[in-house]
Amino acid sequence: MPKSLRSPRHRRFLTRLISLRKAKGLTQAQLAETLGRPQSFVAKYEGGERRLDVLEFLDVTAALDADACEILSSLRS
């Protein structure tokens, strides 16, 4: 597994996405359904088993009604 999938910054990124999903009251399955993807897609990126590409990230943030730029800005340091 690439080192970047285990970096502190990546863990903060995942924690943020998980928190946003939970704050919306959504399960992984419900978010996956909104995205038109299987539940395993959400489980794998939330568990750090796979990375989200930029377009997937934008789809996830849109489904969560979250500001993608704000999320990325919080990861700078």
Side-chain angles (χ1 to χ4, degrees):
M1 186 175 297
K3 184 178 179 181
S4 63
L5 286 181
R6 299 180 188 184
S7 72
R9 187 160 61 167
H10 191 258
R11 287 301 323 154
R12 285 195 322 267
F13 174 68
L14 295 179
T15 299
R16 184 71 181 276
L17 292 180
I18 293 166
S19 295
L20 286 167
R21 175 180 59 77
K22 288 180 178 181
K24 295 289 183 183
L26 297 173
T27 64
Q28 288 181 347
Q30 289 168 323
L31 176 57
E33 184 176 335
T34 300
L35 295 168
R37 304 292 296 258
Q39 182 270 334
S40 61
F41 170 78
V42 177
K44 285 182 180 181
Y45 80 71
E46 284 189 357
E49 293 179 49
R50 76 176 305 280
R51 294 183 194 190
L52 290 174
D53 70 26
V54 173
L55 297 178
E56 291 168 337
F57 170 68
L58 292 174
D59 290 343
V60 169
T61 56
L64 295 172
D65 194 30
D67 185 338
C69 293
E70 190 276 324
I71 293 169
L72 293 176
S73 292
S74 72
L75 299 171
R76 283 191 193 162
S77 41

